[in-house]
Amino acid sequence: MLRRPLALIAALLLILLISWSLRPKPSAEVARTALIMGTLVEIKGVGPDQKHTEEAISAAFDIMKSEEARFSSRIETSQISAINRNKGALEADPEVLFVLQLGQQISRQSAGAFHMGLGRLIKLWGFEAVNPRVPETQAIKQLLPAFTQDAVSMAGTGVERTDPRIQLDLGGIAKGYAVDRALEVLRASGLQSASVNAGGDIGLLGGHGERPWKIGIQHPRKPGELLATLELRDRAIVTSGDYERFFEIDGVRYHHILNPQTGLPARACQSVTVVAPRVAEADALATAVFVLGPNKGLALLENSSAVEGLIVGADGQVKVTAGLKGQVQWR
Ligand code: AMP
Ligand code: MG
């Protein structure tokens, strides 16, 4: 029976080797990137099985692409473009209603500093185009009265612009919403741990293994350097900064976060970081606080117990909400 012991041992070793290589890899972290909504999106996931984690990440990217197709005002077939073309009320789907309602709520809380109807103004500045420019004062002035009220009126499932000068641009909230949807997909796939980073809009599922996720906050005036880090689990953290998209003329920086009252780039902050339960909310709040400036902005963040934040004023001074003090690790 033991005529060929070596062959038997070799066969057993082979079986062991195969089953070892096919075993589920428990803590393998998978990281993938994709270009969505004009931003490099990075998703990291940890799950019981690497192939399953990869599939979950692909599905998360897919849902983000479908949200881009729904919310982008630069895609002709999106529902937002249809609302922008329509003269009366248009039936919107529940996701669009949800985002518009959340956006309008934050718009009201911020006395209009966050406004979803700035499409025409953003086009005048050309931040999305290859050649951004300072528009004619008169062209800006003509639009401003439209931004003193809600962007849309909603009745049932119908959505209508409140003024013909309003063109919806959800650039300040839709990316955050898409990250929330990606996290839902990753959670539903059974991943214990994941992070989705869409150019500074970050959603976290669980911690990073046994530890919390360590998130760096970019220094607004030192490219590639961190201002601080925060340790977080199951949270959203979003930063809006004037360094993200800007051009300079005669030493003046013109950037993409506009003050709806003046039609000009908001001047009171260099950057705003908001920590909240959901990314959509953190996204809109970061833009709102950026426009409001350090004092009113801090008051807005302190109003909600579930929300924290860090504000770098135009002078470089940093303000932190009470609940975040002691949690920030400075660099
Ligand atoms: P964020 O990078 O999230 O601060 O959002 C900036 C983007 O939101 C811009 O690229 C515009 O598309 C849009 N936006 C600019 N200013 C405002 C504003 N005051 N309220 C809402 N959205 C804005
Ligand atoms: Mg935002």
Side-chain angles (χ1 to χ4, degrees):
M1 197 180 126
L2 289 174
R3 276 260 244 2
R4 312 181 76 171
L6 273 179
L8 189 66
I9 288 166
L12 278 172
L13 274 176
L14 191 67
I15 289 165
L16 261 170
L17 191 72
I18 290 170
S19 53
W20 181 81
S21 71
L22 291 178
R23 83 206 185 282
K25 296 172 187 74
S27 58
E29 179 170 297
V30 180
R32 295 282 180 274
T33 55
L35 198 65
I36 303 169
M37 295 180 161
T39 315
L40 192 69
V41 181
E42 184 186 46
I43 301 185
K44 290 180 185 165
V46 185
D49 172 58
Q50 180 165 336
K51 189 159 169 284
H52 178 257
T53 304
E54 280 170 7
E55 285 164 2
I57 292 175
S58 301
F61 279 134
D62 286 347
I63 202 140
M64 290 186 78
K65 286 178 202 148
S66 74
E67 298 307 347
E68 179 180 23
R70 193 193 310 272
F71 284 104
S72 174
S73 51
R74 281 165 275 287
I75 295 176
E76 289 258 320
T77 48
S78 77
Q79 225 176 86
I80 296 306
S81 294
I83 295 170
N84 280 343
R85 278 191 302 267
N86 211 46
K87 292 228 165 58
L90 200 85
E91 294 292 307
D93 67 32
E95 289 195 46
V96 169
L97 291 172
F98 172 82
V99 172
L100 290 177
Q101 259 147 16
L102 177 66
Q104 203 115 284
Q105 183 191 322
I106 291 171
S107 186
R108 289 177 184 177
Q109 283 170 2
S110 65
F114 181 80
H115 201 285
M116 295 181 290
L118 307 184
R120 286 240 160 89
L121 183 66
I122 291 162
K123 261 216 185 96
L124 281 183
W125 282 93
F127 285 107
E128 306 293 331
V130 274
N131 56 336
R133 68 229 150 223
V134 181
E136 303 269 337
T137 311
Q138 205 43 40
I140 293 178
K141 274 203 173 138
Q142 279 171 1
L143 297 175
L144 297 183
F147 308 146
T148 57
Q149 54 180 335
D150 285 344
V152 291
S153 59
M154 286 177 271
T157 56
V159 176
E160 185 175 357
R161 289 174 292 137
T162 52
D163 188 292
R165 289 169 291 188
I166 295 283
Q167 287 282 294
L168 293 180
D169 176 305
L170 301 191
I173 187 170
K175 214 174 9 154
Y177 179 72
V179 173
D180 280 327
R181 296 281 287 151
L183 278 177
E184 274 171 32
V185 166
L186 297 167
R187 188 184 295 116
S189 304
L191 302 200
Q192 314 102 350
S193 174
S195 80
V196 181
N197 183 351
D201 283 34
I202 302 173
L204 304 171
L205 174 65
H208 195 200
E210 298 299 304
R211 308 266 317 136
W213 291 94
K214 194 171 196 161
I215 306 298
I217 299 173
Q218 166 70 45
H219 193 297
R221 289 295 175 267
K222 296 181 184 162
E225 279 187 40
L226 296 182
L227 174 70
T229 57
L230 277 175
E231 295 199 337
L232 299 165
R233 319 172 176 264
D234 282 313
R235 291 265 105 178
I237 173 164
V238 174
T239 298
S240 277
D242 66 2
Y243 53 85
E244 291 173 77
R245 238 177 298 156
F246 69 94
F247 60 96
E248 273 178 342
I249 299 174
D250 298 333
V252 180
R253 179 186 293 236
Y254 298 94
H255 64 87
H256 71 304
I257 305 170
L258 301 169
N259 183 338
Q261 267 178 22
T262 61
L264 306 173
R267 288 275 169 234
C269 295
Q270 294 179 357
S271 81
V272 174
T273 300
V274 174
V275 179
R278 297 298 209 108
V279 193
E281 188 187 7
D283 190 4
L285 278 171
T287 309
V289 169
F290 192 100
V291 175
L292 284 175
N295 296 327
K296 286 184 184 166
L298 191 72
L300 176 63
L301 296 179
E302 294 289 20
N303 257 342
S304 165
S305 61
V307 171
E308 303 295 342
L310 183 155
I311 305 171
V312 184
D315 55 3
Q317 256 199 50
V318 182
K319 284 194 153 78
V320 182
T321 54
L324 210 60
K325 280 196 182 124
Q327 289 188 50
V328 185
Q329 285 120 38
W330 300 102
R331 286 307 173 108

